[in-house]
Amino acid sequence: MNSQSGQPLESVDLTDARIDDAFWSPRIETVRETTIDFVHERLADSGRIENFRVAAGETEGEFQGRFYNDSDVYKWLEGACLFLVTEDDDGLRERVDEVVDLIAGAQEADGYLNTYFQLVEPDKKWTNLHVLHELYCAGHLIEAAIAHREATGEATLLDVATAFADHIDRRFGPDGEDGVPGHEEIELALVKLYRATDEERYLDLARYFVDRRGAADSRLKYEAFNPDAIAGEPYDHVVDGEEYDGRYFQDHAPLREQETVEGHAVRAMYLYTGAADVALETGDRELVEVLERLWENMTERRMYVTGGIGSSHEGERFTEDYDLPTAESYAETCAALGSVLWNQRLLRLTREARYGDLQSRTLYNALLAGLSLNGDRFFYANPHEMGRDGHPLHDVDPNRFANERQGWFQTACCPTNVPRLLASLATHVYASDESSVYVNHHIGSEATLDVADGTVDVDVETSFPWDAETTVTVTPSEPVTFELALRVPEWCVDASARVAGEPVDATPGEFLRVEREWAAGDEVRFEASFPVRFLSGHPNVESTAGSVAVQRGPIVYCLEGRDSPRPLHQVRLRANGDVAVEHDPELLDGVTTLDLPAFVPDESRWDDGALYRPVSETDVEPTTVRAVPYYGWANRGPDEMRIWLDAESGEHDRPE
Amino acid sequence: MNSQSGQPLESVDLTDARIDDAFWSPRIETVRETTIDFVHERLADSGRIENFRVAAGETEGEFQGRFYNDSDVYKWLEGACLFLVTEDDDGLRERVDEVVDLIAGAQEADGYLNTYFQLVEPDKKWTNLHVLHELYCAGHLIEAAIAHREATGEATLLDVATAFADHIDRRFGPDGEDGVPGHEEIELALVKLYRATDEERYLDLARYFVDRRGAADSRLKYEAFNPDAIAGEPYDHVVDGEEYDGRYFQDHAPLREQETVEGHAVRAMYLYTGAADVALETGDRELVEVLERLWENMTERRMYVTGGIGSSHEGERFTEDYDLPTAESYAETCAALGSVLWNQRLLRLTREARYGDLQSRTLYNALLAGLSLNGDRFFYANPHEMGRDGHPLHDVDPNRFANERQGWFQTACCPTNVPRLLASLATHVYASDESSVYVNHHIGSEATLDVADGTVDVDVETSFPWDAETTVTVTPSEPVTFELALRVPEWCVDASARVAGEPVDATPGEFLRVEREWAAGDEVRFEASFPVRFLSGHPNVESTAGSVAVQRGPIVYCLEGRDSPRPLHQVRLRANGDVAVEHDPELLDGVTTLDLPAFVPDESRWDDGALYRPVSETDVEPTTVRAVPYYGWANRGPDEMRIWLDAESGEHDRPE
């Protein structure tokens, strides 16, 4: 499927858009009020901030933590700055400035900046790209710096970032040293820096990193086979005997030849996002087709129903087609975030609703599950099933594989990632070009967009995700003709819309498009129903066989033990049975619950103590179980949980 | 439930009974012709026989293998001798004599005999009963010695065994040193020795070991907490902080106070068998009641549908009620064997058919699965499900946790155990007292039993286990009145029987009993049907939820991947649907197969590439899968396998 227009959409700047949504605003406020402070304390307690102070020479000390710890500080900084864009906060600004000063102070004269190398291996900079994350950290520095300028109007950190980018640009590229990052991120950051500075070198370097990856004479391969030439240790998991297996970091083939999503899921998402960013700027259609092909492999073979990706904890990676275990699912929160970023770019490149649908699926489910309702507990890996005895991988790592969200992780990528996404959520809602305004998400919000030669204020009011009523009000500076496009999610039924009282076509899975002259106060009134959908997984997926998941609107549901009269293994849902839908404003900060009809064993049949007995139809009795949104699980204490529940596959009449 | 008679039944001697059965005879011949030789070679290759040669001073060398390796030699020897009881074999006799001579030569002057201690820790004999298996090995020596005398009429090995038993009797007991074995076995061996020698000291010592176990001042506990006082290392898994947890070897409480089957399953079975043997000789009713209670806990809470027991590989043990994982099931072959022994004693003590039923379930399923059809491959642990990717515990131990039977194990208990059971199978078929003849199993065979003041020849001809027709012909030396009892298995339906043309009552789950004057050639003609039974597991068993197992007669069936048109996770059985039953004389050395109706996903519904889609009744299509007996699995190469298959629980009409 190709795009409908050769010209990509522009996303809205955060300065021009604002969330005002019954569902999302309280969550964003929690992150602003709780998570940002909480994460800052952890960064300070764990020495991550102190590393910059030591590198700046302000104090004596040794490097603390892991070699990528700078990135956590940058990501927190970016999130904090994004919040400052939309709302002043003197206390937060003070902490931001303090950290910015430390970062600036730590930068070396030639622009280099990485506290691990500066403090631990100063003579071995740039020798181990495949493991040691210098370019990854640089990417997050760049993103933080752009947010900092957007928030403060000051160039302090942007100057640091460009100096480092220039250092990197001098060192790497067609005219310099060969190399690509072991962990992608700098590609998308360089495109962002290009947009922020209009300096084409950054775009060129991003394109170089995208296109150089997977070369036959891979630099990453060289490093893996030459431990004496590099800082630290090489990865052994990219070496298979004499053979190099670069799939872990998407270095197995040039991107343009790749046909399956491979390896570390976060890396893959960041690469694809960076490549899409390059395509957005260069109009590279081939790259778009490659990304569409990879997207189809991911969504048709390697993705959880929540939008979660990267099924295995070994390498935090994609594995094989249809390999999607539920209890051991990795589905890293950061990978979900990466998917949201990638799909934003694909939507802008192609104007196809399916990318907005997947953003929505991922945001409401895979991503949001990573954060506790109170904002200070996190899942790094996201189980899709929890047993009564806890996580099956608990002994591998009790921190990442627990039955409750945790306060922190040695690798703290996820707690520092979620805030920067939620702070910039508004930038995902809108996109536009000179003749179009796209409302990609049914999220209450306002934006001011440049259209034709003027501006249009757009206001979205919605009952999503619990009900499907949305009103989009447009207020152009003067009456103007443009196309207004509103995504009609594929999980809508009986979708309809009216503009100025006139019905317009609204097809689920597509954008509703209305091209007309719009005047101040004109409205698109959209409505649909959200039937409860019982989903089955592809027959090749072993973990979902015989089971169903339940989705309503964008929300994937789960069953927690406390909401079932029986242990979850005893519950067999009556797929497509009558469901009682009710909104409970108190439960889990307000959720719509689903009372699902189910069968459970008639325990009286087992009174004789038998362990095995012949089955009969009357062994079961009807009951009801209450499903809650998956994102809200594990907020009421440890419990068993299942997304996929055993089910009768049809619509039989059963004994009542 | 108590026994119907205070007087226990006697079992038949192997010299007085002979198997002649279409099902069992070929298997017993395979063990005689293949397994006995194969195991002997492994014993020789692995140094287990050589250890005796070195201990005897016939050659120089070091002890090889594990501290319990003597027991494997004794068990092989017992099996070989049991075969010699029923059929001469000069070559085998020669090898037996050679081994017997080595054993006799290795014995020390005071009767002590254990090559590990003699060669490795001669100064630390009897210091580590809880780990180092001296008493366990002694028990197997005694059993081998009794078989040797039965086979040869010679006392060579029995003299060795009694000398060692006397040594042990001098050392341990009320008047000697405190102690019980860490691994039970000697209890049942001492009772057997008492029967063979009429020496009451052996029965007294057996009773001491049974009753002393689980004392508050446990010797095993002392050893576990005093590593400096013992040979080798103590078990750390019986120590929980400051606390002693003796459940692993049933030392947590006196046997008479135990209410649940606990710990290492083989040890538990051997203890209960030994205790039952004591009760058989002493008439101790309390002990019988304790064993009945434990049996009910096992069969109602802690047993696989195959009769397999000991669900966890960690400690090879019983765990909690209803904890019966299928893919990771341990269900050690030796534990199944132990259960067969225990149930034989319980049947003799109580005359209840349920113990014969469980013997039968265990023999045809849990036990027989441990041996390949060709007799030279073995399962130590028995999975109840095998995935396409192999055994989930493969990385723990690729030898024990494989998807095919193996040639040998470092701990070789199972390959040496199965032959001695099959060689003595006839002793399980019959039991009697002066006024009764019990036919406990429908296994073709002949026996001569003492009844009243004469003898009765009994001949059993049967179509079991594939069909339920059995004729028992009795030929008393002269017409005599006695009760003939024939077990009617609980899996029979429409059971009927005639004696001299007259119908007699035949109730499944009970013994059919006919008391009359019997003359030469009188017959009991029994027949019943074996409907296919779809079994469900107790609701508290998580692994069997939503699934059914299929049994016909005593045979539990499984589905192997090659006999299904689809991967097994896609198969949903139509429980209680019409089944085609067919006997295939070629397949797996002759089995009755079951063609089971099932649903599988209609793959055409997934042509659009979707990974998840709303379910509907028409997503499935009917098919047929062919189930084969579980004991025969993994004889046609690696494959996936399931006993428990997802199932519709009722009898719905579904789209055809």
Side-chain angles (χ1 to χ4, degrees):
Chain A
M1 220 180 285
N2 290 319
S3 69
Q4 297 168 351
S5 158
Q7 207 53 28
L9 296 166
E10 289 295 312
S11 60
V12 66
D13 288 339
L14 190 54
T15 45
D16 296 329
R18 188 173 74 77
I19 299 292
D20 180 11
D21 184 80
F23 182 89
W24 286 105
S25 292
R27 283 174 175 77
I28 294 169
E29 278 310 298
T30 298
V31 172
R32 183 206 301 275
E33 290 171 6
T34 300
T35 316
I36 286 287
D37 286 356
F38 182 87
V39 169
H40 182 267
E41 275 179 39
R42 298 291 87 70
L43 294 175
D45 294 348
S46 64
R48 284 169 168 86
I49 294 174
E50 187 76 359
N51 286 338
F52 287 97
R53 189 170 281 118
V54 176
E58 289 190 20
T59 183
E60 297 280 307
E62 293 192 343
F63 179 84
Q64 296 178 64
R66 306 296 303 274
F67 55 85
Y68 40 68
N69 276 7
D70 289 0
S71 64
D72 294 327
V73 177
Y74 299 145
K75 285 159 70 186
W76 171 83
L77 194 57
E78 184 189 358
C81 289
L82 293 172
F83 276 116
L84 291 175
V85 169
T86 45
E87 190 170 316
D88 288 339
D89 179 333
D90 291 345
L92 182 57
R93 175 67 196 267
E94 204 172 301
R95 270 172 294 155
V96 163
D97 285 347
E98 185 192 1
V99 172
V100 167
D101 287 346
L102 289 175
I103 294 169
Q107 186 166 40
E108 297 188 345
D110 64 355
Y112 186 86
L113 180 50
N114 182 294
T115 69
Y116 170 77
F117 275 95
Q118 290 171 250
L119 299 175
V120 181
E121 307 202 63
D123 301 330
K124 291 194 166 178
K125 293 166 184 164
W126 306 121
T127 60
N128 188 351
L129 300 187
H130 84 297
V131 175
L132 292 177
H133 285 19
E134 279 157 300
L135 293 169
Y136 169 82
C137 291
H140 280 301
L141 168 62
I142 292 168
E143 289 203 273
I146 294 167
H148 184 251
R149 192 183 65 171
E150 202 170 0
T152 66
E154 295 173 9
T156 337
L157 195 61
L158 191 61
D159 289 344
V160 172
T162 53
F164 195 18
D166 292 342
H167 175 106
I168 293 166
D169 183 46
R170 286 193 300 273
R171 182 161 199 119
F172 294 101
D175 305 323
E177 191 175 325
D178 180 35
V180 296
H183 193 315
E184 301 91 329
E185 153 66 19
I186 196 166
E187 300 86 347
L188 71 90
L190 284 169
V191 178
K192 204 181 260 193
L193 187 61
Y194 156 67
R195 289 177 193 139
T197 63
D198 277 330
E199 181 59 70
E200 292 226 1
R201 284 184 295 115
Y202 302 139
L203 176 60
D204 293 341
L205 185 57
R207 190 165 47 191
Y208 166 79
F209 283 141
V210 167
D211 279 337
R212 182 65 189 150
R213 180 169 296 276
D217 57 338
S218 163
R219 153 88 181 248
L220 306 184
K221 173 182 173 181
Y222 169 82
E223 292 178 358
F225 282 94
N226 290 277
D228 294 341
I230 64 174
E233 299 289 323
Y235 280 141
D236 56 8
H237 57 74
V238 298
V239 175
D240 182 10
E242 297 293 298
E243 294 296 306
Y244 172 67
D245 179 356
R247 285 180 299 173
Y248 173 71
F249 29 40
Q250 300 77 45
D251 194 45
H252 52 294
L255 178 60
R256 289 166 202 271
E257 296 171 17
Q258 295 185 22
E259 302 199 341
T260 50
V261 291
E262 295 292 349
H264 189 274
V266 178
R267 296 175 202 230
M269 292 303 107
Y270 286 8
L271 170 63
Y272 308 153
T273 302
D277 279 334
V278 167
L280 279 163
E281 301 305 327
T282 62
D284 186 333
R285 296 303 311 162
E286 183 190 58
L287 214 40
V288 178
E289 283 166 23
V290 166
L291 295 174
E292 287 177 320
R293 184 171 72 208
L294 291 170
W295 189 89
E296 283 167 12
N297 173 251
M298 180 175 91
T299 57
E300 296 182 358
R301 307 291 178 96
R302 301 185 179 195
M303 186 183 80
Y304 288 98
V305 70
T306 56
I309 48 173
S311 57
S312 175
H313 72 282
E314 291 179 346
E316 309 181 311
R317 71 193 285 171
F318 291 107
T319 56
E320 303 292 326
D321 286 352
Y322 303 114
D323 174 35
L324 297 161
T326 49
E328 302 195 352
S329 65
Y330 199 68
E332 183 180 338
T333 304
C334 288
L337 183 143
S339 174
V340 171
L341 298 182
W342 182 30
N343 280 282
Q344 181 195 34
R345 273 64 166 185
L346 288 171
L347 192 158
R348 288 172 51 206
L349 282 163
T350 66
R351 303 177 184 223
E352 287 180 24
R354 62 179 183 168
Y355 303 113
D357 282 355
L358 183 52
Q359 277 199 300
S360 192
R361 180 180 295 279
T362 308
L363 277 168
Y364 284 102
N365 303 294
L367 184 103
L368 206 49
L371 182 67
S372 67
L373 295 179
N374 63 8
D376 62 6
R377 289 292 180 274
F378 312 91
F379 277 131
Y380 185 133
N382 288 278
H384 286 64
E385 175 176 332
M386 181 60 61
R388 285 176 293 177
D389 299 331
H391 200 297
L393 297 172
H394 182 267
D395 291 346
V396 174
D397 180 350
N399 187 223
R400 267 184 303 167
F401 305 120
N403 56 2
E404 291 192 291
R405 292 176 188 81
Q406 305 287 298
W408 197 242
F409 307 92
Q410 188 186 45
T411 299
C413 51
C414 302
T416 54
N417 234 347
V418 172
R420 67 191 192 108
L421 184 77
L422 290 196
S424 60
L425 185 63
T427 65
H428 294 265
V429 177
Y430 299 95
S432 63
D433 64 12
E434 57 185 16
S435 60
S436 308
V437 167
Y438 272 67
V439 178
N440 299 327
H441 293 284
H442 295 255
I443 294 177
S445 54
E446 297 171 4
T448 302
L449 302 165
D450 294 327
V451 177
D453 296 323
T455 62
V456 182
D457 291 338
V458 185
D459 179 275
V460 175
E461 291 187 14
T462 187
S463 60
F464 273 62
W466 308 124
D467 290 298
E469 281 188 40
T470 298
T471 300
V472 181
T473 308
V474 294
T475 307
S477 45
E478 56 192 54
V480 62
T481 297
F482 62 88
E483 176 195 61
L484 180 73
L486 173 65
R487 194 180 113 256
V488 182
E490 63 95 3
W491 40 80
C492 290
V493 164
D494 298 331
S496 66
R498 288 176 177 268
V499 175
E502 290 300 306
V504 293
D505 188 47
T507 306
E510 298 184 6
F511 273 97
L512 167 173
R513 297 170 197 277
V514 182
E515 186 167 8
R516 68 194 293 272
E517 188 185 76
W518 298 90
D522 280 351
E523 290 180 350
V524 177
R525 289 179 173 271
F526 170 83
E527 62 180 9
S529 66
F530 281 162
V532 176
R533 295 172 97 179
F534 293 84
L535 300 175
S536 57
H538 190 283
N540 291 351
V541 180
E542 191 160 337
S543 64
T544 63
S547 300
V548 298
V550 180
Q551 182 178 346
R552 182 174 176 277
I555 304 289
V556 173
Y557 281 76
C558 73
L559 187 54
E560 289 192 274
R562 67 189 70 232
D563 298 319
S564 167
R566 295 285 184 83
L568 301 188
H569 71 267
Q570 293 186 11
V571 175
R572 173 164 275 193
L573 289 189
R574 301 171 68 173
N576 297 333
D578 289 338
V579 179
V581 180
E582 194 172 338
H583 194 74
D584 183 337
E586 303 301 323
L587 184 67
L588 300 171
D589 292 353
V591 293
T592 293
T593 60
L594 306 180
D595 285 353
L596 304 167
F599 292 111
V600 291
D602 179 350
E603 290 180 325
S604 70
R605 302 267 163 180
W606 296 88
D607 284 348
D608 64 356
L611 188 51
Y612 306 101
R613 57 191 297 282
V615 298
S616 82
E617 189 175 349
T618 53
D619 287 346
V620 294
E621 57 186 13
T623 190
T624 301
V625 294
R626 173 160 294 186
V628 297
Y630 168 67
Y631 74 75
W633 87 279
N635 276 291
R636 293 176 287 170
D639 203 351
E640 59 170 338
M641 180 277 293
R642 294 190 184 199
I643 291 176
W644 291 94
L645 288 153
D646 187 27
E648 293 287 329
S649 55
E651 304 181 22
H652 320 296
D653 288 313
R654 299 299 302 269
E656 294 287 83
Chain B
M1 217 180 288
N2 291 321
S3 69
Q4 298 169 348
S5 157
Q7 206 55 26
L9 296 166
E10 289 295 313
S11 61
V12 66
D13 288 339
L14 190 54
T15 44
D16 295 330
R18 186 173 73 79
I19 300 290
D20 181 8
D21 184 78
F23 182 89
W24 286 106
S25 292
R27 283 173 175 77
I28 294 168
E29 277 311 296
T30 298
V31 172
R32 183 206 302 272
E33 290 171 7
T34 300
T35 316
I36 286 288
D37 286 356
F38 183 87
V39 168
H40 182 267
E41 276 179 39
R42 297 292 87 69
L43 294 175
D45 294 348
S46 64
R48 283 169 168 84
I49 294 174
E50 187 75 1
N51 286 336
F52 287 97
R53 190 170 280 115
V54 176
E58 289 192 18
T59 182
E60 296 282 305
E62 292 192 341
F63 181 82
Q64 296 177 65
R66 306 296 303 274
F67 56 84
Y68 40 69
N69 275 8
D70 288 0
S71 64
D72 294 326
V73 177
Y74 299 144
K75 286 158 71 185
W76 171 83
L77 193 58
E78 183 188 358
C81 290
L82 293 172
F83 277 116
L84 292 175
V85 170
T86 45
E87 189 169 316
D88 288 339
D89 179 332
D90 291 345
L92 182 58
R93 174 67 197 268
E94 204 171 300
R95 272 173 294 155
V96 162
D97 286 347
E98 186 191 359
V99 173
V100 166
D101 287 346
L102 288 174
I103 293 169
Q107 187 165 40
E108 297 188 345
D110 64 355
Y112 186 86
L113 181 50
N114 182 294
T115 70
Y116 170 77
F117 275 94
Q118 291 171 251
L119 298 175
V120 182
E121 308 203 62
D123 300 330
K124 292 194 166 180
K125 293 166 185 165
W126 306 121
T127 61
N128 187 351
L129 300 187
H130 84 298
V131 175
L132 292 176
H133 284 19
E134 279 158 299
L135 293 169
Y136 168 82
C137 292
H140 280 301
L141 168 62
I142 292 167
E143 289 203 273
I146 294 166
H148 184 252
R149 191 182 67 172
E150 203 168 359
T152 66
E154 295 173 8
T156 335
L157 194 60
L158 191 62
D159 289 345
V160 171
T162 52
F164 195 17
D166 292 343
H167 176 106
I168 292 166
D169 184 47
R170 285 192 300 274
R171 183 163 199 117
F172 294 101
D175 304 325
E177 192 175 326
D178 181 32
V180 297
H183 193 316
E184 301 90 328
E185 153 67 20
I186 197 166
E187 300 86 346
L188 70 90
L190 285 168
V191 177
K192 205 181 260 192
L193 188 61
Y194 156 68
R195 289 177 193 141
T197 62
D198 278 330
E199 180 59 71
E200 293 225 3
R201 283 184 298 116
Y202 302 138
L203 176 61
D204 292 342
L205 185 58
R207 190 164 48 190
Y208 166 79
F209 284 141
V210 167
D211 280 336
R212 182 63 189 151
R213 180 170 295 275
D217 57 339
S218 162
R219 153 88 182 247
L220 305 185
K221 172 181 174 181
Y222 170 83
E223 292 178 358
F225 282 94
N226 290 278
D228 295 342
I230 64 174
E233 299 288 322
Y235 280 140
D236 55 9
H237 57 74
V238 297
V239 175
D240 182 11
E242 297 293 298
E243 293 297 305
Y244 172 68
D245 179 357
R247 286 179 299 173
Y248 173 71
F249 29 40
Q250 300 78 44
D251 192 46
H252 52 295
L255 178 60
R256 290 166 200 270
E257 295 171 19
Q258 294 185 23
E259 302 200 340
T260 51
V261 290
E262 296 292 348
H264 189 275
V266 178
R267 296 176 201 228
M269 292 303 108
Y270 287 8
L271 169 63
Y272 307 153
T273 303
D277 279 335
V278 168
L280 279 163
E281 301 305 327
T282 62
D284 186 332
R285 295 305 309 161
E286 183 190 57
L287 212 41
V288 177
E289 282 165 26
V290 166
L291 295 173
E292 288 177 318
R293 185 170 71 208
L294 291 170
W295 188 89
E296 283 166 13
N297 172 252
M298 179 175 92
T299 57
E300 296 183 359
R301 308 290 178 96
R302 303 187 179 194
M303 186 183 81
Y304 288 98
V305 70
T306 56
I309 48 173
S311 57
S312 175
H313 71 283
E314 291 178 346
E316 309 182 310
R317 70 194 285 172
F318 292 106
T319 56
E320 303 291 326
D321 285 352
Y322 303 114
D323 175 35
L324 296 162
T326 50
E328 303 193 353
S329 64
Y330 200 69
E332 184 180 337
T333 304
C334 289
L337 183 144
S339 174
V340 171
L341 299 181
W342 183 30
N343 279 281
Q344 181 195 34
R345 274 64 166 184
L346 288 172
L347 193 158
R348 289 172 51 207
L349 282 163
T350 66
R351 304 179 184 221
E352 287 180 25
R354 62 180 184 169
Y355 303 113
D357 282 353
L358 182 53
Q359 277 199 301
S360 192
R361 179 180 296 280
T362 307
L363 277 168
Y364 284 102
N365 303 293
L367 184 103
L368 205 50
L371 183 67
S372 68
L373 294 178
N374 63 9
D376 63 5
R377 290 292 179 274
F378 312 92
F379 277 131
Y380 185 133
N382 289 280
H384 285 65
E385 175 177 333
M386 180 59 62
R388 286 176 292 175
D389 298 330
H391 200 297
L393 297 173
H394 182 267
D395 291 348
V396 174
D397 180 350
N399 187 224
R400 267 184 305 168
F401 305 120
N403 56 1
E404 291 192 291
R405 293 176 187 80
Q406 305 288 298
W408 196 242
F409 307 92
Q410 188 185 46
T411 299
C413 50
C414 302
T416 54
N417 233 348
V418 172
R420 67 191 191 107
L421 184 77
L422 289 197
S424 59
L425 185 63
T427 65
H428 294 265
V429 177
Y430 299 95
S432 63
D433 64 12
E434 58 184 14
S435 59
S436 308
V437 166
Y438 272 65
V439 178
N440 299 326
H441 294 284
H442 295 255
I443 295 177
S445 54
E446 298 171 4
T448 302
L449 302 166
D450 293 328
V451 177
D453 297 322
T455 63
V456 182
D457 291 339
V458 186
D459 178 275
V460 174
E461 292 187 13
T462 186
S463 60
F464 272 60
W466 309 122
D467 290 296
E469 281 189 39
T470 299
T471 302
V472 180
T473 309
V474 294
T475 307
S477 46
E478 56 191 51
V480 62
T481 296
F482 61 89
E483 175 195 59
L484 180 72
L486 173 65
R487 193 179 111 256
V488 183
E490 62 95 2
W491 41 79
C492 290
V493 164
D494 297 331
S496 65
R498 288 178 177 269
V499 175
E502 292 298 307
V504 293
D505 188 45
T507 305
E510 297 184 6
F511 273 96
L512 167 172
R513 298 169 195 277
V514 183
E515 186 167 5
R516 69 196 289 273
E517 188 183 77
W518 298 89
D522 281 351
E523 289 180 348
V524 178
R525 289 178 172 271
F526 170 83
E527 62 182 7
S529 67
F530 281 162
V532 176
R533 295 171 99 179
F534 292 86
L535 300 175
S536 57
H538 191 282
N540 290 351
V541 180
E542 191 159 337
S543 65
T544 64
S547 300
V548 298
V550 180
Q551 182 178 347
R552 182 175 177 276
I555 304 288
V556 174
Y557 280 75
C558 73
L559 187 53
E560 289 192 273
R562 69 189 70 231
D563 298 319
S564 167
R566 296 286 185 82
L568 301 188
H569 71 267
Q570 294 186 11
V571 175
R572 173 165 277 193
L573 288 189
R574 302 170 68 174
N576 297 333
D578 289 338
V579 180
V581 179
E582 195 172 337
H583 194 75
D584 183 336
E586 302 303 321
L587 183 67
L588 299 171
D589 292 353
V591 294
T592 293
T593 60
L594 306 180
D595 285 353
L596 304 167
F599 292 111
V600 291
D602 179 349
E603 291 181 323
S604 69
R605 303 267 162 181
W606 297 87
D607 285 347
D608 65 357
L611 189 50
Y612 306 101
R613 58 190 297 281
V615 299
S616 82
E617 190 174 348
T618 54
D619 286 346
V620 295
E621 57 186 15
T623 191
T624 301
V625 294
R626 173 160 294 186
V628 297
Y630 168 67
Y631 73 76
W633 88 280
N635 277 292
R636 293 176 288 170
D639 203 349
E640 59 170 338
M641 180 278 292
R642 293 190 184 199
I643 291 177
W644 290 94
L645 288 153
D646 187 28
E648 293 288 328
S649 54
E651 302 181 23
H652 320 295
D653 287 316
R654 299 299 300 269
E656 293 287 328

